């Protein structure tokens, strides 16, 4: 699924000439494997951009994995790694640019840009960083699930899963981190995929309905706070969209995210419990929210101040027990 069509067939014993004759990069047929390859590159570039900035506060994803995919990295196979494919695609798309008056400009892609904080140190040949493994998981998921493909934010869902498996103390289990993560990510996405499908936003299973549910729960539990947020016209879309779609993975540091997910995944109505966790987060900062104006409150909600996740989970459990 991730290698060039010509190379794949050539390695099955079909000569390169036959492959090129049958299907080639300029083949206009929409079913052409090369056409698919180029379309896939658009998805891959977005995934690549997102996985390179995964958990920037820890160095884990930049480090080399002990268990790289040897099939792809073996130089005898002539397989192109996804990293290489991205580099070549970026180079091609940035080198030639046509301006609005129709003049074509040739430019060096990285010429004047200072190295960005998001740029990882390139590992030597034969090595593979953890972020590259995550990239492969997301790319193959997108290929197998064309109806949803890849949506920005999925990288934040797969990150904590992969980290958990890839740091397992048992080396035998660590070795299968990529496959285990893919399996768990696919199962988790089967439950939360509706959050990522824009056409379902306003349906009963979509994200808008769930955001409204956070507010209706808050209304039951703390009418005063609910009215204050309504009065300031602070809509749940402003903060709860990210909380719910990314399962709070952007609101807390990674070890705390894993702790929250333990509670979410252990609950049979886990995504109902997520609504209660969001509600608990609001109630725990109610005094600040009641005193603050729109700007102060938006800052509080978009950069959540409480770091003790046990306190948040305890409050959510209290809300659950009082239902």
């Amino acid at each position: 699924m991730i290698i060039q069509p010509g190379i794949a067939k050539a390695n099955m014993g079909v000569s390169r000439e036959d492959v090129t004759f049958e299907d080639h990069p300029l083949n206009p047929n929409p079913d052409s494997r090369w056409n698919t390859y180029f379309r896939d590159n658009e998805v891959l570039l977005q995934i690549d951009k997102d996985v390179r900035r995964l958990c920037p506060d820890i160095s884990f994803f930049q480090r080399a994995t002990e268990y790289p995919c040897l099939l792809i990295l073996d130089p005898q196979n002539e397989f192109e790694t996804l990293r290489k494919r991205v580099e070549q695609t970026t180079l091609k798309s940035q080198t030639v640019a046509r301006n609005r008056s129709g003049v074509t400009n040739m430019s060096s892609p990285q010429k004047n840009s200072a190295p960005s904080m998001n740029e990882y140190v390139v590992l030597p040949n034969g090595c593979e960083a953890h972020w590259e493994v995550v990239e492969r998981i997301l790319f193959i998921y997108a290929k197998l699930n064309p109806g949803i493909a890849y949506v920005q934010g999925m990288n934040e869902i797969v990150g904590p899963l992969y980290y958990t498996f890839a740091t397992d103390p048992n080396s035998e289990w660590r070795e299968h981190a990529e496959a285990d993560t893919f399996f768990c990510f696919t199962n988790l996405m089967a439950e939360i995929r509706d959050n990522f499908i824009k056409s379902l936003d306003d349906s009963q299973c979509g994200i808008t309905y769930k955001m409204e549910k956070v507010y209706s729960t808050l209304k039951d539990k703390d009418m005063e706070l609910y009215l204050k947020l309504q009065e300031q016209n602070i809509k749940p879309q402003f903060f709860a969209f990210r909380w719910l779609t990314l399962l709070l993975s952007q609101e807390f540091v990674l070890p705390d995210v894993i702790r929250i997910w333990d509670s979410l995944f252990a609950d049979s109505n886990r995504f109902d419990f997520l609504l209660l966790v969001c509600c608990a987060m609001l109630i725990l900062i109610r005094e600040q929210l009641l005193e603050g104006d729109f700007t102060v409150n938006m800052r509080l909600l978009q950069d959540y101040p409480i770091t003790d996740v046990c306190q948040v989970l305890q409050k959510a459990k209290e809300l659950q027990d009082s239902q």
Side-chain angles (χ1 to χ4, degrees):
M1 283 195 165
I2 62 174
I3 55 184
Q4 280 185 28
I7 294 174
K9 278 222 161 173
N11 284 350
M12 290 180 215
V14 182
S15 79
R16 280 289 177 94
E17 290 76 13
D18 293 344
V19 173
T20 309
F21 180 74
E22 176 195 328
D23 190 8
H24 53 84
L26 300 178
N27 186 344
N29 183 345
D31 297 329
S32 146
R33 282 189 302 278
W34 277 103
N35 231 314
T36 305
Y37 178 82
F38 294 131
R39 273 201 313 273
D40 288 346
N41 282 351
E42 293 172 27
V43 177
L44 179 58
L45 288 175
Q46 183 61 61
I47 293 173
D48 187 77
K49 200 162 72 175
D50 293 345
V51 294
R52 282 173 185 261
R53 45 180 190 225
L54 200 53
C55 301
D57 47 337
I58 59 171
S59 64
F60 169 79
F61 286 98
Q62 302 174 37
R63 296 205 302 265
T65 171
E66 303 162 79
Y67 306 104
C69 183
L70 298 176
L71 177 73
I72 293 173
L73 294 180
D74 185 344
Q76 287 188 313
N77 287 337
E78 294 184 66
F79 290 166
E80 178 186 49
T81 64
L82 288 180
R83 181 176 73 192
K84 197 83 186 150
R85 182 166 160 180
V86 166
E87 284 165 6
Q88 290 176 348
T89 307
T90 309
L91 191 69
K92 285 171 190 159
S93 64
Q94 289 189 347
T95 306
V96 182
R98 180 166 292 187
N99 69 17
R100 287 168 67 178
S101 57
V103 178
T104 300
N105 299 314
M106 302 292 286
S107 63
S108 169
Q110 304 298 339
K111 204 167 181 183
N112 299 320
S113 60
S116 108
M117 281 172 60
N118 293 332
E119 284 178 18
Y120 289 168
V121 177
V122 176
L123 297 177
N125 286 342
C127 291
E128 198 170 46
H130 288 294
W131 66 264
E132 293 182 73
V133 180
V134 174
E135 180 168 65
R136 188 161 53 237
I137 289 168
L138 287 167
F139 183 68
I140 292 178
Y141 177 83
K143 291 277 288 171
L144 289 173
N145 298 274
I148 184 170
Y150 172 75
V151 180
Q152 212 168 359
M154 287 181 185
N155 56 313
E156 306 294 350
I157 301 288
V158 80
L161 292 174
Y162 177 74
Y163 176 84
T164 304
F165 287 120
T167 56
D168 196 288
N170 182 328
S171 62
E172 197 182 332
W173 292 1
R174 235 179 13 251
E175 187 178 348
H176 300 288
E178 183 174 351
D180 290 343
T181 303
F182 184 82
F183 175 83
C184 289
F185 175 66
T186 302
N187 278 278
L188 178 56
M189 282 305 299
E191 296 190 44
I192 64 169
R193 61 190 292 166
D194 293 351
N195 293 347
F196 290 91
I197 300 174
K198 199 168 173 45
S199 59
L200 293 176
D201 278 0
D202 297 320
S203 71
Q204 204 161 350
C205 55
I207 190 67
T208 307
Y209 176 78
K210 288 169 190 163
M211 289 188 293
E212 295 296 345
K213 197 95 193 289
V214 172
Y215 264 25
S216 61
T217 308
L218 180 65
K219 188 178 179 180
D220 286 346
K221 306 292 182 187
D222 191 331
M223 179 62 90
E224 187 186 0
L225 180 55
Y226 167 77
L227 290 173
K228 176 73 175 178
L229 295 176
Q230 289 285 52
E231 178 197 317
Q232 292 186 345
N233 203 22
I234 295 178
K235 299 183 188 309
Q237 289 88 324
F238 299 162
F239 61 93
F241 180 83
R242 190 175 73 185
W243 290 9
L244 293 168
T245 50
L246 304 184
L247 307 183
L248 298 170
S249 62
Q250 288 287 278
E251 313 316 310
F252 300 96
V253 294
L254 188 59
D256 290 343
V257 171
I258 291 168
R259 174 65 193 88
I260 291 170
W261 285 18
D262 273 349
S263 291
L264 284 184
F265 298 162
D267 194 288
S268 55
N269 299 320
R270 50 178 154 270
F271 302 112
D272 288 344
F273 188 64
L274 176 60
L275 299 176
L276 292 171
V277 172
C278 293
C279 204
M281 287 168 69
L282 294 171
I283 292 170
L284 285 172
I285 55 169
R286 74 183 303 274
E287 301 309 324
Q288 291 154 277
L289 290 170
L290 290 172
E291 285 171 22
D293 60 14
F294 177 86
T295 311
V296 168
N297 287 346
M298 282 302 298
R299 198 174 299 129
L300 278 171
L301 294 168
Q302 292 184 344
D303 187 9
Y304 191 71
I306 294 179
T307 54
D308 181 357
V309 292
C310 290
Q311 189 186 357
V312 174
L313 291 169
Q314 200 172 349
K315 186 68 185 171
K317 190 78 181 76
E318 280 173 30
L319 295 176
Q320 187 182 47
D321 293 342
S322 68
Q323 280 182 336

